[in-house]
Amino acid sequence: MAVAHPSVDADLQQYYSIYLLMTEAFLAAREGDLERAKAYLGQVQAIKDSRNPLDSRRLFTREIRREIAIAQRNPTQLREQLSQLPSAKPSGLPRECTSFYNEVRLRMALDEKTVAMALSEKVLSGECRNSPMQEWIEALLRGELAKHKARKGDLKSARQLVEEFDHDWARPDAELPVVQTIEAVREKL
């Protein structure tokens, strides 16, 4: 089987370009550069479905909109994003952990920390269906939950979350925001 490369395969080059455009939009929203994020979102939305097989269901578009809503902290947009999250799959399977994680982020942006932390604990106790990014989601939620518990004075629970993080991530990159969050909590313990 031959492997194509974007420099010689026009279709692959288009897919790669679309993926980079979506990634740039996502990152711009996360960095708070809303004008750039909205400009990229407009470009992504302008691509016809037939030319955009990577996002035929418009999942990336919804993710970019969610990131913009979180950055803007607009309650109306945040509530609209919450209403679009699945409560359960039609097959009766539990929600995917990614869906819970997205809800946690939206609830935090709405300043609904108690609900967000309860959802985080559900993910960490295995009450959701694993997702491809499970380890990363759990690391992020452990960091946020440990910070929340330390702020509330529940140092025992915060310490346990830090220890679980250390167990799962023996040698993480110190530059990652989640590692910096864990280190800040560790300093308080």
Side-chain angles (χ1 to χ4, degrees):
M1 174 170 77
V3 177
H5 191 276
S7 64
V8 295
D9 184 325
D11 287 338
L12 188 56
Q13 184 176 30
Q14 170 141 353
Y15 299 161
Y16 185 71
S17 295
I18 292 168
Y19 183 75
L20 287 177
L21 181 64
M22 288 187 257
T23 301
E24 284 296 318
F26 187 77
L27 292 173
R30 281 250 169 126
E31 293 168 356
D33 189 346
L34 300 178
E35 293 306 314
R36 193 174 65 159
K38 288 176 182 178
Y40 286 138
L41 175 61
Q43 290 176 16
V44 170
Q45 289 175 318
I47 301 169
K48 291 183 169 70
D49 287 345
S50 62
R51 302 283 297 159
N52 190 3
L54 293 176
D55 196 25
S56 60
R57 292 182 25 203
R58 299 291 180 185
L59 296 174
F60 286 113
T61 304
R62 285 197 301 266
E63 285 187 21
I64 295 165
R65 283 190 184 129
R66 183 182 59 245
E67 292 304 320
I68 291 171
I70 289 170
Q72 289 179 324
R73 295 191 178 274
N74 178 315
T76 303
Q77 289 177 350
L78 293 166
R79 296 254 178 245
E80 179 183 326
Q81 290 291 321
L82 276 172
S83 73
Q84 294 175 12
L85 291 174
S87 58
K89 296 288 180 193
S91 64
L93 293 172
R95 274 173 72 183
E96 188 175 84
C97 293
T98 304
S99 175
F100 274 104
Y101 175 67
N102 290 334
E103 184 172 351
V104 166
R105 294 188 65 238
L106 290 164
R107 299 278 183 195
M108 292 295 284
L110 284 164
D111 207 28
E112 297 176 1
K113 290 181 177 46
T114 304
V115 174
M117 294 303 107
L119 289 168
S120 297
E121 289 182 4
K122 281 185 169 190
V123 172
L124 295 174
S125 67
E127 292 185 37
C128 56
R129 196 171 35 136
N130 285 350
S131 66
M133 296 181 59
Q134 189 66 28
E135 291 175 358
W136 182 242
I137 288 170
E138 288 180 2
L140 292 169
L141 292 178
R142 275 194 182 97
E144 287 302 315
L145 197 52
K147 181 171 68 174
H148 180 74
K149 299 272 186 186
R151 257 193 225 134
K152 295 283 189 183
D154 186 355
L155 300 182
K156 181 180 177 185
S157 295
R159 185 174 292 108
Q160 180 181 352
L161 288 160
V162 168
E163 288 170 3
E164 289 171 6
F165 179 90
D166 291 342
H167 179 265
D168 291 343
W169 288 54
R171 290 183 294 271
D173 182 350
E175 300 300 315
L176 293 172
V178 66
V179 175
Q180 294 170 357
T181 299
I182 287 291
E183 290 306 320
V185 171
R186 191 185 321 271
E187 288 175 12
K188 294 177 182 178
L189 298 177

